Amino acid sequence: MTTSEAVVLDVEGLRMRYGATDVLHAVTFQARHGEVVALLGPNGAGKTTTIEILEGFRMRSVGRVEVLGVDPAHGGERWRARVGIVFQSWRDHGKWRVRELLAQLGAYYAPYSTPLIRRPWDADELLAAVGLSEHANKLIAALSGGQRRRLDVAIGVVGRPELLFLDEPTAGFDPEARREFHDLIHRLARQEETTILLTTHDLNEAEKLADRILILDGGRIIADGTAEELAQRIAGADEVRWTRAGRRFAQSTTASTRFVFDLFQHYGEDIADLEVRRASLEDTYLSLVQQAEAGARIASAASLAASNLKEGVD
């Protein structure tokens, strides 16, 4: 891969080893300007290690990593001013007031303003964007959990980052706050042209927000594509449900459109309560992870058998 101006994250052959254990194996992917990418995977898959390497907080063992054209292991303050991070939890500065803290943190970004990107984000504009205007003068310690999470997001974007890392961004949000946050993410990506890499266990959220989805399992990227592209990788049929003459019916088919057409051709207005359920991202995710883990178990068993056979021959 070669890095162009459109490529914001460029990772090739990333490997991380702790002692004799590899936790990342040849991880390779890209993210482009203004793209929202979701990094999914079970606990222990290597997501946190990958993100920390990209953020410049952890040294890698092997591989090439470029973030905004810079190796994050050697990124300076000017590079860091272009990157925003929303941690999963942050509980400092309880005695500060909300606007006061954002204005103070924003001031640190002012020296890195450019003609194209004016830094920082105005505190009042930012408070309006995250839905905290009415709490601008409230002590941070007095905010609710959901309000505090919105403030975490505001802190992460106060410097108008070109790249934003989000770790479980809507944890603690109620449905209305989650919807407002999703609108903010779409605004950042579409209007501000911010590249966003998010990790989440909420697969519905990933499907709504992400232009592309990466699935990491066992330290390897096992899938990379849109939700629709990933769904096409699994041999899952659509499920068609309907009622006729008071009876309920269900049929699995890989050609649901044709099946429904034929159904109406045959029974017409006798068909009611028609539903077509396509494979969801959750179905796709579980299938791909199970396939990868089954493959890993087979490979491990084969390796063990080969080792035992070699010892027997010796």
Side-chain angles (χ1 to χ4, degrees):
M1 295 183 185
T2 58
T3 301
S4 69
E5 288 184 0
V7 177
V8 173
L9 284 174
D10 195 4
V11 181
E12 185 174 26
L14 174 60
R15 178 180 170 188
M16 188 67 195
R17 166 169 283 198
Y18 295 111
T21 303
D22 283 336
V23 295
L24 294 176
H25 308 264
V27 170
T28 299
F29 68 92
Q30 288 185 333
R32 296 185 174 274
H33 185 67
E35 189 175 28
V36 180
V37 179
L39 180 61
L40 309 180
N43 292 332
K47 301 188 300 298
T48 298
T49 298
T50 300
I51 295 295
E52 288 178 349
I53 290 171
L54 298 179
E55 293 170 342
F57 294 139
R58 188 179 297 276
M59 293 293 292
R60 62 191 181 273
S61 299
V62 178
R64 182 175 63 81
V65 178
E66 290 188 6
V67 176
L68 294 167
V70 174
D71 183 340
H74 307 292
E77 287 188 2
R78 185 164 295 278
W79 172 79
R80 289 207 170 275
R82 302 170 65 195
V83 177
I85 301 173
V86 177
F87 295 104
Q88 190 169 8
S89 179
W90 193 55
R91 290 290 178 266
D92 292 334
H93 305 301
K95 295 182 179 180
W96 286 66
R97 298 188 185 277
V98 173
R99 182 193 286 112
E100 182 182 49
L101 179 63
L102 286 179
Q104 178 67 34
L105 295 177
Y108 297 127
Y109 291 91
Y112 305 106
S113 184
T114 71
L116 290 177
I117 303 176
R118 305 301 299 175
R119 296 185 170 96
W121 199 324
D122 177 78
D124 288 316
E125 288 182 12
L126 183 52
L127 287 169
V130 299
L132 285 177
S133 293
E134 63 185 89
H135 305 290
N137 294 314
K138 185 179 288 187
L139 288 175
I140 292 171
L143 296 178
S144 69
Q147 292 164 357
R148 182 55 209 258
R149 195 64 185 142
R150 296 189 199 194
L151 179 60
D152 291 343
V153 174
I155 290 169
V157 302
V158 68
R160 289 192 183 273
E162 297 162 59
L163 169 64
L164 179 63
F165 293 100
L166 296 172
D167 186 8
E168 296 289 345
T170 57
F173 277 25
D174 60 36
E176 183 179 359
R178 184 175 291 109
R179 184 172 59 253
E180 291 172 354
F181 175 79
H182 290 173
D183 290 342
L184 173 61
I185 293 303
H186 287 306
R187 173 185 170 184
L188 288 171
R190 304 296 176 254
Q191 297 181 21
E192 303 288 331
E193 298 185 322
T194 306
T195 303
I196 298 170
L197 181 63
L198 70 94
T199 62
T200 179
H201 289 290
D202 185 337
L203 300 183
N204 288 330
E205 179 169 78
E207 193 164 13
K208 288 176 182 177
L209 292 180
D211 300 308
R212 211 169 89 251
I213 293 167
L214 305 174
I215 300 179
L216 187 66
D217 187 51
R220 293 179 170 85
I221 297 288
I222 63 170
D224 180 351
T226 66
E228 184 175 309
E229 288 169 347
L230 298 188
Q232 292 173 356
R233 288 184 48 178
I234 65 172
D238 297 339
E239 184 179 42
V240 182
R241 300 177 182 179
W242 71 99
T243 60
R244 182 173 61 85
R247 295 180 57 194
R248 293 195 61 82
F249 298 87
Q251 177 68 45
S252 293
T253 175
T254 56
S256 56
T257 301
R258 183 67 197 182
F259 180 85
V260 169
F261 178 80
D262 291 343
L263 198 63
F264 276 100
Q265 285 283 94
H266 194 72
Y267 296 107
E269 293 182 358
D270 290 342
I271 300 298
D273 302 321
L274 179 69
E275 296 179 48
V276 179
R277 182 183 181 277
R278 301 187 183 279
S280 67
L281 178 58
E282 182 176 359
D283 297 328
T284 304
Y285 170 83
L286 292 174
S287 177
L288 292 172
V289 168
Q290 288 166 2
Q291 290 175 19
E293 292 179 349
R297 286 194 296 270
I298 292 170
S300 178
S303 176
L304 180 60
S307 177
N308 290 340
L309 180 61
K310 183 178 183 299
E311 289 179 2
V313 171
D314 292 342

